């Protein structure tokens, strides 16, 4: 070993300039690469002194060093389970694992793993005082892209929820905590309660202040709520709070209906809580409220119990719907600077929509209308009315109700990724499904038969134009109008609606712009 002839200062300067050159070289070579890989949300919160005690995501790692599983799926065909992990440590979900494992059958998400060392894994929620046992979410109902990769979010259609009872390290009895989730403003309703955060140890309402969870939806619990939502609210038990008074004190908070929304709640457990929201695709966070705890007794101080809930209320009120991509809970009240750094990491992910199914305009997440192509009916659209699917003439001067009834959100097929399902525009969480061969609009109940009845596989229209939709579980039957009612019909058969006359025209549809975007 030879001693360096260079004086110490010069050595130090040289190595500093070498490091600088290295950094500049990396930046020049990879202008799009940020420091994100070394500072994911839980790294940022840890650096600010408020470490994550829970970190859940189906899309990506939330610690740069995390290399474990993100979630577990269970398939219907044989009840087997597998874990979906990451493409690289600190990276994105390896969704191909799920696609291969679930090919030809259906899968539900059975566990969302906690990436923190606390192991606060979320499993399917059991019965509570306000709702029977929940189902897991269909594993492939919410395809999106993150970091340029095809991944899946978790799409809740009601009677779906997860829980960790008595989490490790989660705030209890007035301790401070923070939390955020990335959710969506396009799949929401006004039922109780699409929540992520702190809940009771028993699945029951044990009183004011026993919850501290982010709520996202259009349920206005305390008047006033401004605009039409959905709003980021604090479910502190027995109320979805927008301020210490309950209702909103902020007329500019009209909600956030962006496709990807950052929803944030923090609470010092004693005399302060704050709510923020932001567009998870770009920009910063807006503080909707920052101030005192609710004035009603029980909330100051708080009485959190330290369980974690996702998708339902604390007592398993499970009428709500929603979307979940990622979320964390911290120990301690995060600083605004840490929240801002986390939001900037979230926007760097580039959450976005998936690619179209079968080409053309059937892009999951887009809203469409379906117009009949039979000459005598070609101003009629598939709409629901009194829960049945029928066709009605809809024009630009039709009522807002007729327009909304005839607008449908395309979803990746609930039973097959290469097919589609149609979610009602004005009854989110309800889907077009057949029952006794007739099409109805009904709430997704999580059962395998519902998923199959609500899945339709597109192909070129049988009359040579537009698109025809084969029933997934009755593949020789196609969506057809007959006497202005909508069925799945075969080309000739025992039912009146299976009539071969005009069949090819009646099963051909124009997929077009929605009457209600
Ligand atoms: O606080 C709102 C809801 O009220 C809670 O989520 C639920 O436990 C109770 O029904
Ligand atoms: O399908 C439910 C409702 O029934 C529709 O919104 C309305 O048109 C009819 O009253
Ligand atoms: O529509 C045909 C069948 O009728 C459906 O698969 C089932 O839900 C109902 O029994």
């Amino acid at each position: 070993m030879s001693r360096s002839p260079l004086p110490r200062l010069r050595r130090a300067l040289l190595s500093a300039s070498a490091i600088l050159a290295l950094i500049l070289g990396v930046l020049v070579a990879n202008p799009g690469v940020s420091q994100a890989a070394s500072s994911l949300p839980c790294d940022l919160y840890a650096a600010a002194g408020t470490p994550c005690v829970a970190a859940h995501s189906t899309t990506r790692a939330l610690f740069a060093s995390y290399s474990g599983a993100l979630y577990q799926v269970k398939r219907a065909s044989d009840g087997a389970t597998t874990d979906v992990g990451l493409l690289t440590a600190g990276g994105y979900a390896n969704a191909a694992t799920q696609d291969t494992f679930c090919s030809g059958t259906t899968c539900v998400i059975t566990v969302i793993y906690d990436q923190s060392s606390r192991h606060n894994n979320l499993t399917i929620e059991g019965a509570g005082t306000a709702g029977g046992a929940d189902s897991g979410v269909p594993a492939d109902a919410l395809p999106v892209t993150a970091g340029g990769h095809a991944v899946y979010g978790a799409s809740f259609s009601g009677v779906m929820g997860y829980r960790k009872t008595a989490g490790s390290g989660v705030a209890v009895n007035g301790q401070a905590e923070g939390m955020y989730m990335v959710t969506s403003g396009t799949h929401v309703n006004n039922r109780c309660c699409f929540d992520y955060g702190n809940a009771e140890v028993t699945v029951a309402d044990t009183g004011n202040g026993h919850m501290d969870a982010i709520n996202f939806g259009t349920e206005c619990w305390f008047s006033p709520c401004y605009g039409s939502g959905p709003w980021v609210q604090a479910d502190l038990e027995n109320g979805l709070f927008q301020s210490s008074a309950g209702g909103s004190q902020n007329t500019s908070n009209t909600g956030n209906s962006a496709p990807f929304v950052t929803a944030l709640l923090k609470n010092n457990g004693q005399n302060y809580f704050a709510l923020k929201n932001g567009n998870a695709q770009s920009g910063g966070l807006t503080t909707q409220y920052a101030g005192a705890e609710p004035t009603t007794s029980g909330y100051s101080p708080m009485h959190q119990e330290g369980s974690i809930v996702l998708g339902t209320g604390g007592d398993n009120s499970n009428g709500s719907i929603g979307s979940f991509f990622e979320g964390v809970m911290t120990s301690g009240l995060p600083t605004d600077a840490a929240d801002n750094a986390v939001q900037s990491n979230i926007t760097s992910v580039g959450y976005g929509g998936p690619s179209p199914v079968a080409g053309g305009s059937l892009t999951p997440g887009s809203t469409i209308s379906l117009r009949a192509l039979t000459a005598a009916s070609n101003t009629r659209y598939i709409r629901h009315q009194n829960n049945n699917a029928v066709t009605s003439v809809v024009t630009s001067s039709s009522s807002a109700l007729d327009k909304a009834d005839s607008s449908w959100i395309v979803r990746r097929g609930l039973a097959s990724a290469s097919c589609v399902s149609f979610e009602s525009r004005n009854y989110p969480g309800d889907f077009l499904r057949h029952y006794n061969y007739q099409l109805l609009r009904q709430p997704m109940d999580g059962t395998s038969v519902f998923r199959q009845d609500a899945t339709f596989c597109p192909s070129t229209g049988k009359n040579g134009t537009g698109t025809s939709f084969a029933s997934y579980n009755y593949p020789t039957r196609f969506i057809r109008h007959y006497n202005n009612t909508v069925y799945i019909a075969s080309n000739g058969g025992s039912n009146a609606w299976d009539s071969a006359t005009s069949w090819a025209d009646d099963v051909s549809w124009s997929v077009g712009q929605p009457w209600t975007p």
Side-chain angles (χ1 to χ4, degrees), residues 193 195 207-216 219-225 231-249 253 264-265 267 273-276 288-290 292-300 302:
C193 284
D195 289 350
N208 293 355
H210 286 247
M211 293 184 68
D212 181 30
I214 308 162
N215 173 266
F216 191 66
E219 181 170 23
C220 180
W221 193 290
F222 300 107
S223 207
C225 300
W231 303 281
V232 178
Q233 311 187 96
D235 187 347
L236 305 179
E237 192 51 281
N238 296 315
L240 306 178
F241 291 84
Q242 294 198 29
S243 74
S244 57
S248 178
Q249 300 174 339
N253 175 29
L264 188 147
L265 163 66
N267 193 327
F273 80 106
L275 291 163
K276 304 182 185 185
Q288 302 163 206
Y289 175 78
E293 303 279 14
T295 45
T296 323
S297 121
Y299 300 106
S300 179
M302 294 284 293

Side-chain angles (χ1 to χ4, degrees), residues 423-466:
E423 183 178 357
S424 165
R425 177 66 176 76
N426 52 350
Y427 287 73
D430 284 16
F431 286 78
L432 268 184
R433 65 86 58 96
H434 60 86
Y435 189 84
N436 290 337
Y437 309 118
Q438 193 182 331
L439 257 66
L440 311 175
R441 189 212 82 225
Q442 285 187 346
M444 158 67 166
D445 63 13
T447 61
S448 170
V449 69
F450 189 103
R451 288 201 183 100
Q452 296 182 38
D453 290 353
T455 299
F456 303 97
C457 304
S459 59
T460 302
K462 293 294 173 189
N463 74 353
T465 59

Side-chain angles (χ1 to χ4, degrees), residues 52-100:
C52 291
V53 292
H56 300 110
S57 178
T58 58
T59 66
R60 65 168 181 146
L62 299 167
F63 290 87
S65 60
Y66 189 68
S67 59
L70 291 183
Y71 60 103
Q72 183 195 66
V73 295
K74 179 179 182 179
R75 65 185 175 204
S77 54
D78 61 358
T81 59
T82 198
D83 284 345
V84 177
L86 293 159
L87 291 165
T88 54
Y92 293 90
N94 187 356
T97 305
Q98 175 184 320
D99 293 337
T100 305

Side-chain angles (χ1 to χ4, degrees), residues 209-399:
H210 286 247
M211 293 184 68
D212 181 30
I214 308 162
N215 173 266
F216 191 66
T218 52
E219 181 170 23
C220 180
W221 193 290
F222 300 107
S223 207
C225 300
Y226 296 106
S228 50
W231 303 281
V232 178
Q233 311 187 96
D235 187 347
L236 305 179
E237 192 51 281
N238 296 315
L240 306 178
F241 291 84
Q242 294 198 29
S243 74
S244 57
S248 178
Q249 300 174 339
N250 179 350
T251 53
S252 64
N253 175 29
T254 54
N256 191 333
S257 57
F260 296 92
V261 172
T262 307
L264 188 147
L265 163 66
K266 56 186 177 181
N267 193 327
N268 77 358
Q270 299 297 314
N271 56 14
Y272 169 91
F273 80 106
L275 291 163
K276 304 182 185 185
N277 78 91
N279 182 333
Q281 292 178 300
S282 64
L285 295 169
T286 301
T287 299
Q288 302 163 206
Y289 175 78
E293 303 279 14
T295 45
T296 323
S297 121
Y299 300 106
S300 179
M302 294 284 293
H303 298 90
Q304 310 100 305
E305 298 188 21
S307 293
I308 305 173
V309 70
L310 172 60
T312 75
D315 54 6
N316 193 17
S317 297
N318 56 13
S320 51
I321 66 173
S323 312
F324 181 84
F325 302 99
E326 59 177 77
V328 313
M329 297 175 71
T330 68
S331 167
L333 191 78
T335 62
D336 289 334
D339 294 340
N340 292 341
V342 166
Q343 164 68 1
S344 119
N345 174 262
I346 291 168
T347 60
S348 79
V349 163
Y351 275 112
S355 32
V357 174
S361 43
L362 289 165
T363 305
S366 68
T367 306
I368 52 116
S369 288
L370 293 164
R371 183 171 62 83
L373 287 171
T374 313
S377 305
N378 67 11
T379 55
R380 305 185 79 98
Y381 290 79
I382 296 183
R383 61 90 58 88
H384 62 86
Q385 194 161 41
N386 303 323
N387 310 332
N388 296 317
V390 297
T391 62
S392 286
V393 175
V394 184
T395 68
S396 55
S397 49
S398 294
S399 69

